[in-house]
Amino acid sequence: MLITSKNEIKNIGVVFTHLPKFAAFILQNHLREFGETQIQYSKEEKVPLLQFFAHYTEQEFLEFGIASSKNLLTCIAENQIDEYIRTASHNYKKNLIPELEKNAVLAEDITLISLVRRRTFRKFLYLYTADIFLFGNIMEELDRFISELEMSSFNAFIEIQEERLKSVNADLKQRNEDLLEAEELADMGSFLWDINNQTSKSTIGVKKILPTDKPGDLSNFLRYVHEEDRQKVVDNIREAYQNEGICESEFRYNFDGKIKWVWSRGKVLFDAEGKPDKLKGTVMDVTKRQLLLKNLQESQEMNKHVQAITHIGDWSWDVKKDKVSWSDEMFRIYGLEPQSEEISLERFLSFVHQDDREQRLEEIHQSLETSIAKDYRIRIINPDGTLKILEGNGEIITDSENKPIKMIGSCQDITKEYTLIKEVEEKENYLSQLINHAPEGVIVFDYKGIIRLWNPKSEEIFGYKSDKVLGKQLSKTIFPKRYFKQYQKILLQLVNQETFTYLNRDLELTAKNSINKEFFVSCRISHSGKDKTSPFIVFLKDITTQRQIKLELKFKTELLERLNLSLSQKNTELENINKELNSFNYVASHDLQEPLRKIQIFANRIMEKNALLLPPSTREYLDKIKVSTDRMKLLIEDLLTFSQASATDDSFRNVDLNHILEEVLLEHSTSIEETNAGIFSKNLPVVRGIPFQLQQLFSNLLGNAIKYCDEAKSPCVTIISKKIKGSNIPFAEAYPTKYYYQVEITDNGIGFEPEYSEKIFGLFQRLHGKESYSGTGIGLAICKKILHNHNGFIKAVGKPDKGSSFFLFFPV
């Protein structure tokens, strides 16, 4: 069986000879123990997939295991192995396996399950045979079957992972495009600044808003911040380092003589030792907003216009009168018509989200006590149920005694900006989760070959923790020294874009792990951008096991070819033996019988012409010669019959056993009348067979039943039939799932001892002296041969003086 690139299974014409019989033996005698053993070995090997059956009780899991084992053994016993592998692969790829999701299956599961199957079959093989040659043949066929199944499973596994990765990549690409488009529309950008390495990664929006000639350098960035805002920015960053990690500021940025206002919000990320490691966040060009706010001071109408554009509203609160004044835009922000109602502190608080209400009220009281109003952020619920995020600032106005009399301030609807920032954070987190939980190793390196990303699967494959390889040369880390120059050359070609031979193609390379052990990996290299400085992404997996399977398959294929050659030689030998057998038939039918006939003729002539002249002793000798020649003639005829029964006829056809019995009864009519025998039969079946052989079969059995009977009673023979399943037949060669016709022939003859139930079917095997009963001891051997020619079986059961029963089994 071969696996194509599309994971389709093709039959190469190999039919297992020994394994199906072994599987049928287990199915008939040890099915439950087989299922229990598979479960036991699965637990010992700690197969990861067992976790998905944890909700099963022990009994439920056992019944599940037995059902699965029965399906496997039945397919093998019926030589339906191709169909079993094809179905298993199809169900896996189409996610049709109960209790499991196809993406939950690991490569480790496939390998361990194959190991469990090998161990389980090997255990029961010792119960099946002690023949070392048969043992080896079964193990060879078993290894071939498991290897084919494992290869099919791995190919399906790889196809599923490629499909999943393709979907993830497409989703990531779309999300990244949406993010960049949203940032462009909002005049925003996001960044990640490596504090220790003084490097940064950012979107196009950041480069537009904060142009600089040295990206990632803090001192260079501060050089372009307006001198009046520079210290404020530095203080915000320093405070974020020391406190909660959040820094937010609004400043002017001067580059090439152009001043713009920038709002920035970021979060400091700390390493395991609690030291600042990275700063990620967003920036927004708020120059337009600042210009509008400036113009507000010049014109009230312009102020209203600006508020509408920027979603910023003005408010004031007369503390003593508890009267709140809102600008028109404030009413719009809260979902109300401008100046449509009187606003009080209580009315204002009714809009605030219940989870933020108590905190906002406490902030107001604290501002009244300290005369300092801090910036705030709250959630509100509009009358139509819309949730909004607002950000505002305020100022306390006091009287001559420094007592607060009024609070004034502004408020902006930042729902869109807040949602955008959350989406950016979620997308970054989503991307991080995908990389960290990817089923393949993911490595990112820059145009200098320096490792910049190393996911957990890479740690598992190579044995290096990420902190041990980040910042180091890729080629010096995971490749053997003897390949260093070769792989370094490939990296240079990738960076210089000299060739696309290695991009987006499956490559098989030799790698080494943390203990310098070499193994094989399959990888695909992609370029994340068009310019030379864009990083490269490597997706890789350990294929050492697959390589070993291929080598084993090659070895076994060569072994099979040698076996086929040996089989061809054996066939030639068999043909020669058949020729010799044909020669024997000719000799037996002509050369042996001719002298025998002459002996009989001359002995008869002597007796006829000289009977009265011969002395009594001579006549006695001639009588013995006649008896011996008659036995010799019968023996030759039986040998010819046995030889002819050994050669199966290709002209099989449907044969009615009722008609066969009628012809046999006619053939034995004389002996039936002489012994007053009673023959009874009922509804015999129609079988597929060779008519003259079937007639010979029933003639031998019926003749024996009449002949081997006590002279004191008349023979009585009963012939009945029924259909039974192969699993109920006492022969290991029977197919357990197929049906057979059982024909039972029972007589009241002299019977035999039970220990002779097998011996009587051998050539020249007689249980009684020739003085008592005539015969050559070949008749039952012929019967067994005929059943064998018809893919059937024969069994004898008897007791001395109680009669005997012969059971014939014909496949339906």
Side-chain angles (χ1 to χ4, degrees):
M1 168 180 319
L2 302 175
I3 306 300
T4 68
S5 60
K6 294 183 179 180
N7 204 32
E8 297 176 350
I9 302 176
K10 295 183 178 179
N11 194 312
I12 62 173
V14 176
V15 178
F16 292 112
T17 303
H18 307 285
L19 184 59
K21 297 178 181 179
F22 175 41
F25 166 76
I26 299 175
L27 192 63
Q28 182 176 351
N29 301 288
H30 301 286
L31 174 60
R32 188 174 188 87
E33 298 95 318
F34 186 91
E36 291 173 341
T37 302
Q38 278 210 111
I39 293 174
Q40 175 190 344
Y41 286 165
S42 297
K43 291 180 179 179
E44 290 178 3
E45 298 296 339
K46 298 180 179 178
V47 177
L49 282 181
L50 289 178
Q51 62 180 308
F52 298 100
F53 300 91
H55 62 286
Y56 275 33
T57 65
E58 288 291 334
Q59 185 60 31
E60 289 173 344
F61 191 36
L62 175 59
E63 295 302 323
F64 176 85
I66 292 174
S68 176
S69 298
K70 184 177 181 181
N71 180 46
L72 170 64
L73 293 169
T74 300
C75 288
I76 297 176
E78 296 179 357
N79 235 322
Q80 298 296 319
I81 294 174
D82 289 355
E83 182 62 27
Y84 178 84
I85 295 177
R86 183 182 295 107
T87 301
S89 176
H90 172 79
N91 291 345
Y92 175 27
K93 290 191 294 181
K94 297 301 181 181
N95 204 26
L96 300 177
I97 302 177
E99 304 293 338
L100 293 179
E101 286 293 329
K102 64 180 181 180
N103 291 327
V105 179
L106 305 176
E108 181 182 357
D109 288 307
I110 299 174
T111 303
L112 291 179
I113 289 173
S114 296
L115 175 60
V116 167
R117 285 198 178 110
R118 281 190 176 95
R119 289 184 61 191
T120 306
F121 273 103
R122 182 181 289 272
K123 176 180 178 180
F124 286 88
L125 188 52
Y126 291 104
L127 301 178
Y128 178 67
T129 181
D131 185 342
I132 188 171
F133 296 103
L134 179 57
F135 190 102
N137 289 334
I138 292 175
M139 283 306 300
E140 181 179 342
E141 291 183 359
L142 176 62
D143 287 342
R144 179 175 180 83
F145 160 62
I146 291 180
S147 296
E148 299 288 358
L149 180 58
E150 193 174 46
M151 286 177 61
S152 176
S153 300
F154 269 117
N155 283 334
F157 173 82
I158 292 171
E159 186 175 333
I160 290 170
Q161 300 308 317
E162 289 177 346
E163 178 184 67
R164 183 183 180 192
L165 187 60
K166 182 178 179 181
S167 175
V168 169
N169 286 337
D171 188 44
L172 287 176
K173 181 179 178 182
Q174 183 60 48
R175 286 173 176 265
N176 187 56
E177 291 175 354
D178 294 344
L179 174 62
L180 294 176
E181 182 179 358
E183 287 187 350
E184 183 177 0
L185 292 174
D187 208 3
M188 293 182 65
S190 57
F191 64 91
L192 177 64
W193 175 42
D194 192 323
I195 298 172
N196 297 320
N197 296 329
Q198 290 293 303
T199 59
S200 66
K201 297 178 182 179
S202 61
T203 60
I204 298 175
V206 174
K207 297 177 181 179
K208 290 181 179 180
I209 297 171
L210 302 175
T212 179
D213 53 358
K214 293 182 180 180
D217 190 333
L218 178 61
S219 59
N220 186 65
F221 160 76
L222 291 173
R223 184 160 61 90
Y224 295 104
V225 176
H226 196 283
E227 58 183 2
E228 294 179 4
D229 300 332
R230 193 173 299 153
Q231 189 59 45
K232 177 178 66 174
V233 173
V234 172
D235 291 342
N236 284 339
I237 296 175
R238 183 178 294 115
E239 183 179 357
Y241 284 0
Q242 298 173 354
N243 297 323
E244 298 179 352
I246 302 296
C247 63
E248 185 175 353
S249 61
E250 190 171 302
F251 55 87
R252 287 165 289 179
Y253 194 79
N254 186 356
F255 186 81
D256 287 344
K258 296 180 180 179
I259 298 177
K260 62 176 67 177
W261 281 88
V262 179
W263 171 83
S264 175
R265 178 177 175 81
K267 181 177 181 180
V268 178
L269 304 178
F270 300 89
D271 59 19
E273 298 177 359
K275 296 180 180 179
D277 183 30
K278 293 179 177 60
L279 175 64
K280 69 174 182 179
T282 59
V283 295
M284 177 184 289
D285 187 347
V286 294
T287 304
K288 295 179 181 179
R289 187 181 71 179
Q290 288 295 332
L291 291 175
L292 290 173
L293 289 174
K294 182 179 179 180
N295 292 334
L296 277 175
Q297 299 174 359
E298 302 174 356
S299 171
Q300 182 65 27
E301 290 300 322
M302 183 64 71
N303 183 32
K304 292 182 179 180
H305 183 64
V306 170
Q307 286 188 13
I309 293 176
T310 61
H311 299 293
I312 296 176
D314 294 334
W315 57 268
S316 66
W317 176 43
D318 189 319
V319 179
K320 293 183 177 180
K321 297 180 180 179
D322 189 20
K323 181 179 180 181
V324 178
S325 297
W326 280 357
S327 65
D328 290 350
E329 187 60 25
M330 281 292 292
F331 277 93
R332 295 190 185 98
I333 291 173
Y334 280 79
L336 302 173
E337 289 295 326
Q339 311 305 323
S340 59
E341 62 175 276
E342 293 284 339
I343 304 297
S344 63
L345 179 61
E346 182 179 356
R347 177 58 170 154
F348 155 70
L349 291 174
S350 69
F351 289 100
V352 179
H353 193 285
Q354 60 180 4
D355 293 340
D356 297 346
R357 194 173 298 159
E358 185 177 345
Q359 180 180 345
R360 182 56 189 148
L361 185 59
E362 183 179 345
E363 290 173 350
I364 292 173
H365 290 315
Q366 188 175 2
S367 298
L368 294 176
E369 293 175 1
T370 61
S371 297
I372 299 174
K374 294 183 178 181
D375 296 344
Y376 62 91
R377 176 180 290 179
I378 57 173
R379 291 170 292 175
I380 65 168
I381 306 295
N382 282 358
D384 62 359
T386 303
L387 175 68
K388 290 185 177 180
I389 310 297
L390 307 183
E391 200 170 66
N393 52 42
E395 182 180 348
I396 301 295
I397 299 176
T398 59
D399 57 13
S400 57
E401 297 178 357
N402 203 30
K403 293 182 178 181
I405 57 174
K406 198 172 189 180
M407 287 185 68
I408 61 173
S410 62
C411 181
Q412 182 180 19
D413 180 359
I414 62 165
T415 305
K416 291 183 180 180
E417 292 85 348
Y418 178 83
T419 303
L420 182 61
I421 292 172
K422 292 291 291 183
E423 288 180 356
V424 170
E425 292 177 349
E426 289 174 359
K427 289 175 181 177
E428 290 178 349
N429 182 63
Y430 177 70
L431 177 60
S432 176
Q433 291 294 321
L434 286 177
I435 292 175
N436 289 336
H437 294 89
E440 296 183 347
V442 180
I443 302 174
V444 176
F445 63 92
D446 61 20
Y447 68 99
K448 294 182 180 180
I450 303 299
I451 300 174
R452 296 302 179 191
L453 185 144
W454 184 271
N455 77 332
K457 189 63 178 180
S458 298
E459 294 181 358
E460 178 185 332
I461 293 174
F462 293 98
Y464 291 109
K465 293 294 183 181
S466 59
D467 57 348
K468 298 295 183 182
V469 296
L470 293 178
K472 294 185 178 180
Q473 277 282 348
L474 176 68
S475 56
K476 292 183 179 180
T477 305
I478 65 173
F479 297 124
K481 290 183 179 179
R482 56 197 174 101
Y483 295 119
F484 174 72
K485 291 184 179 179
Q486 179 182 349
Y487 292 158
Q488 187 68 20
K489 183 179 179 181
I490 293 176
L491 292 177
L492 289 175
Q493 290 177 343
L494 287 172
V495 172
N496 295 326
Q497 298 181 355
E498 295 176 359
T499 177
F500 294 97
T501 304
Y502 307 107
L503 279 179
N504 301 314
R505 296 188 179 182
D506 292 329
L507 306 174
E508 291 190 4
L509 305 173
T510 303
K512 71 176 183 70
N513 57 21
S514 59
I515 58 175
N516 290 320
K517 181 180 179 181
E518 294 187 4
F519 60 99
F520 297 102
V521 295
S522 173
C523 67
R524 180 179 284 258
I525 305 174
S526 300
H527 199 195
S528 62
K530 295 182 179 180
D531 60 314
K532 293 183 178 181
T533 60
S534 300
F536 294 87
I537 304 175
V538 183
F539 300 92
L540 54 83
K541 54 181 174 291
D542 184 351
I543 61 168
T544 304
T545 302
Q546 293 92 312
R547 287 287 292 266
Q548 291 174 346
I549 291 174
K550 289 181 180 178
L551 291 175
E552 290 179 7
L553 182 60
K554 180 180 179 183
F555 169 76
K556 290 177 179 178
T557 301
E558 293 174 352
L559 179 60
L560 181 61
E561 291 175 353
R562 293 197 295 271
L563 291 175
N564 286 336
L565 178 60
S566 176
L567 181 60
S568 177
Q569 294 172 347
K570 294 295 183 182
N571 287 337
T572 302
E573 294 176 5
L574 185 59
E575 289 176 359
N576 293 333
I577 292 173
N578 286 335
K579 291 179 181 178
E580 294 175 0
L581 182 59
N582 290 332
S583 298
F584 166 77
N585 291 340
Y586 181 82
V587 170
S589 61
H590 295 84
D591 297 350
L592 289 180
Q593 293 194 56
E594 181 59 27
L596 189 61
R597 282 194 295 270
K598 289 182 178 180
I599 293 172
Q600 289 177 318
I601 291 172
F602 290 131
N604 288 333
R605 287 181 179 178
I606 292 172
M607 290 292 291
E608 291 172 357
K609 294 183 179 181
N610 303 300
L612 299 176
L613 300 177
L614 295 175
S617 60
T618 302
R619 289 197 299 270
E620 182 181 353
Y621 292 149
L622 288 173
D623 289 337
K624 290 183 178 181
I625 289 173
K626 185 177 184 302
V627 171
S628 295
T629 55
D630 289 342
R631 283 184 51 78
M632 186 65 180
K633 181 181 179 182
L634 180 61
L635 179 61
I636 292 172
E637 290 175 350
D638 284 350
L639 283 173
L640 283 173
T641 302
F642 181 79
S643 174
Q644 292 168 355
S646 299
T648 58
D649 191 347
D650 291 335
S651 58
F652 276 74
R653 59 189 179 91
N654 292 335
V655 180
D656 189 338
L657 295 184
N658 295 289
H659 294 164
I660 293 293
L661 182 60
E662 290 176 0
E663 294 179 5
V664 171
L665 292 176
L666 183 62
E667 177 186 343
H668 290 275
S669 59
T670 301
S671 59
I672 292 174
E673 291 177 0
E674 291 176 351
T675 60
N676 194 28
I679 313 297
F680 306 96
S681 68
K682 182 179 180 181
N683 297 331
L684 299 184
V686 175
V687 300
R688 192 76 175 166
I690 303 172
F692 83 87
Q693 289 191 2
L694 295 176
Q695 184 171 343
Q696 179 71 45
L697 169 67
F698 278 86
S699 178
N700 286 359
L701 293 174
L702 190 61
N704 285 350
I706 296 173
K707 178 169 60 176
Y708 295 107
C709 187
D710 192 338
E711 294 181 356
K713 56 185 177 181
S714 298
C716 180
V717 183
T718 303
I719 307 174
I720 58 175
S721 70
K722 65 179 179 179
K723 185 189 293 186
I724 64 172
K725 204 169 185 181
S727 58
N728 297 324
I729 296 178
F731 291 93
E733 298 86 351
Y735 289 102
T737 58
K738 290 187 175 181
Y739 282 90
Y740 292 77
Y741 289 121
Q742 174 185 290
V743 178
E744 179 183 350
I745 302 176
T746 303
D747 62 49
N748 63 339
I750 61 176
F752 55 86
E753 294 290 346
E755 59 263 30
Y756 296 118
S757 61
E758 291 293 335
K759 181 180 179 182
I760 61 176
F761 293 109
L763 278 173
F764 308 113
Q765 296 298 321
R766 295 175 52 86
L767 302 184
H768 310 282
K770 58 186 178 181
E771 295 80 7
S772 302
Y773 299 98
S774 62
T776 61
I778 299 178
L780 289 180
I782 294 174
C783 292
K784 182 175 182 181
K785 203 67 176 179
I786 291 173
L787 261 299
H788 177 75
N789 292 343
H790 289 73
N791 296 317
F793 312 96
I794 184 169
K795 176 185 176 182
V797 177
K799 289 184 179 181
D801 300 323
K802 297 294 184 179
S804 58
S805 294
F806 288 85
F807 296 88
L808 316 180
F809 300 97
F810 296 92
V812 175

